[in-house]
Amino acid sequence: MRVALVPDVAAAAAAAGSSGSRMALPNSVAAATKLRSMQSSNSVLMVAPTAFGFNEQAAQDNSFMHAAEKPQQHSSLTAQVCAEFAELHRQLTDVAGVNVKLFQHHLSHGTPDAVFPNNWFSTHGAGEAAGGVSQPTLVLYPMKCPNRAAERRPEVIQVLRQAGYERVVDMTGHEQHDKAYFEGTGVLVLDRVNGVAYVALSERADRGLAEQWVSSLGYKELVTFSSADCRGKPVYHTNVMMAIGTDVAVVCADSVPDAKERQHLLSKLSSSHEVVQISSAQMDALCGNVLELQGGKGLPVMAMSSQAYHAFTPEQRSVMRRHVAELVHAPIDTLERVGGGGVRCALAELF
């Protein structure tokens, strides 16, 4: 299957909404409940992996990645990943009814990981975090790897600004000022309804910036901890070990070695959600890298890779199905193996 790619951001802006070049505001499905529309969106931004390749810079602290060819013209790796992405795009749009704003990138951009846009920006609707977010907000984040910071293309940011976000929080200066990093909803797993931010501290998730983010956005609580994968390496992004929906959460508590941190994490999650606990092996299969979205019928769906879907037990899938209408999945094995990220990483929510 072939995905029709947006040739340039000007075209994307022109096509994004009914009012000129402004994006239609997401979460407009009338049947969606207020809580679900606060936690999950019907609209996402995605970047097709048209110049994808192995990112040596990111591999320094991402143990989920496996070496492969670097970005290059006529790459068989890029072609394979694009084919996988096309099926993911089809599942999200044609099957689930998710509204996808689709972009592409080129070799000239020097951004092999651009397919993972949720790390460099996030959006937040007014009323999020139990009213803590007072106005529609766009946040830009400091990235550890220079070729990931380059994903913040000015023309894409301009399209985002046109969506009507009244406030822009720019944290990118920390890249140069103090070499501190905080990589968006890669390191932030958010309970957007109750205003709780969960952060696994790492080289890409600075504690001071996490505290600054919570204060600036008006969130109520910050839960931090350390997490390690089954190889004993620090988990590079929180969103590979946990996810939060409106009523259900997924977490690899076994990855948190400190007993007090682990207990606090589970206690906080279980106070507001039914919790699906996954093993370290399931985390390695990216079962933690899932995302609740609003489907086209106004019902929540859980998006994940086919690898993650099959790694969940039938009982775990049953628990999730009590809270969402469908588990939407696509096989993106090559992207996961080489890029070290799953479906959630490829989705930047637009609230």
Side-chain angles (χ1 to χ4, degrees):
M1 180 180 175
R2 198 173 164 204
V3 172
L5 298 174
V6 176
D8 56 55
V9 292
S18 58
S19 57
S21 62
R22 294 170 62 88
M23 285 185 190
L25 289 177
N27 289 327
S28 59
V29 182
T33 65
K34 182 177 181 181
L35 285 182
R36 286 200 171 102
S37 66
M38 195 66 68
Q39 179 63 34
S40 53
S41 176
N42 177 253
S43 186
V44 297
L45 184 148
M46 300 181 74
V47 179
T50 44
F52 176 82
F54 181 68
N55 185 352
E56 287 186 336
Q57 292 182 21
Q60 299 304 309
D61 65 345
N62 181 347
S63 65
F64 289 77
M65 296 174 67
H66 296 81
E69 65 185 55
K70 298 177 184 178
Q72 56 187 297
Q73 287 187 336
H74 312 300
S75 164
S76 60
L77 172 64
T78 303
Q80 176 62 32
V81 171
C82 282
E84 294 175 355
F85 183 89
E87 177 58 18
L88 172 60
H89 182 273
R90 187 188 74 82
Q91 288 290 330
L92 291 170
T93 56
D94 295 350
V95 177
V98 174
N99 179 16
V100 175
K101 314 297 185 185
L102 184 62
F103 295 87
Q104 64 176 326
H105 64 132
H106 306 282
L107 288 172
S108 61
H109 291 132
T111 54
D113 274 345
V115 68
F116 303 132
N118 76 304
N119 300 147
W120 66 263
F121 83 93
S122 67
T123 63
H124 307 270
E128 182 177 305
V133 179
S134 60
Q135 55 189 326
T137 301
L138 168 67
V139 187
L140 304 176
Y141 293 97
M143 306 291 287
K144 179 188 175 188
C145 302
N147 64 11
R148 299 230 54 205
E151 295 171 23
R152 299 190 305 258
R153 289 155 48 193
E155 65 272 27
V156 179
I157 293 174
Q158 182 59 32
V159 171
L160 289 169
R161 286 177 178 268
Q162 291 173 346
Y165 297 104
E166 299 168 13
R167 182 187 181 209
V168 178
V169 177
D170 188 347
M171 303 177 69
T172 62
H174 291 282
E175 287 172 358
Q176 300 300 323
H177 294 161
D178 45 14
K179 305 296 183 184
Y181 313 106
F182 198 64
E183 298 189 342
T185 52
V187 301
L188 281 162
V189 173
L190 300 175
D191 179 348
R192 294 176 184 260
V193 175
N194 299 300
V196 184
Y198 295 83
V199 176
L201 300 173
S202 70
E203 293 182 19
R204 307 192 194 193
D206 179 82
R207 181 188 294 274
L209 294 187
E211 294 170 350
Q212 176 183 317
W213 187 95
V214 165
S215 176
S216 179
L217 269 289
Y219 264 59
K220 312 304 181 188
E221 186 173 350
L222 172 65
V223 177
T224 62
F225 48 90
S226 295
S227 175
D229 62 25
C230 57
R231 292 164 292 277
K233 303 284 188 180
V235 168
Y236 76 104
H237 277 163
T238 317
N239 72 3
V240 299
M241 56 79 63
M242 66 177 292
I244 295 177
T246 305
D247 304 305
V248 64
V250 178
V251 66
C252 181
D254 289 347
S255 73
V256 181
D258 184 274
K260 289 184 178 179
E261 290 184 343
R262 183 169 61 252
Q263 180 57 38
H264 180 55
L265 170 62
L266 287 172
S267 175
K268 192 63 188 176
L269 283 174
S270 61
S271 69
S272 54
H273 293 76
E274 184 168 12
V275 178
V276 175
Q277 290 201 51
I278 59 174
S279 67
S280 294
Q282 287 177 308
M283 179 178 72
D284 223 35
L286 292 169
C287 289
N289 201 240
V290 302
L291 181 66
E292 184 186 283
L293 297 168
Q294 290 296 313
K297 296 181 180 179
L299 298 173
V301 301
M302 193 72 80
M304 63 187 67
S305 70
S306 293
Q307 175 187 215
Y309 177 86
H310 292 297
F312 281 114
T313 67
E315 293 76 17
Q316 289 170 330
R317 292 196 292 266
S318 293
V319 172
M320 288 186 284
R321 285 193 172 105
R322 288 205 291 266
H323 301 281
V324 299
E326 188 54 78
L327 306 180
V328 179
H329 63 95
I332 57 165
D333 298 17
T334 311
L335 180 60
E336 290 177 314
R337 184 178 69 255
V338 178
V343 166
R344 194 280 169 263
C345 296
L347 302 171
E349 305 123 291
L350 299 171
F351 285 91

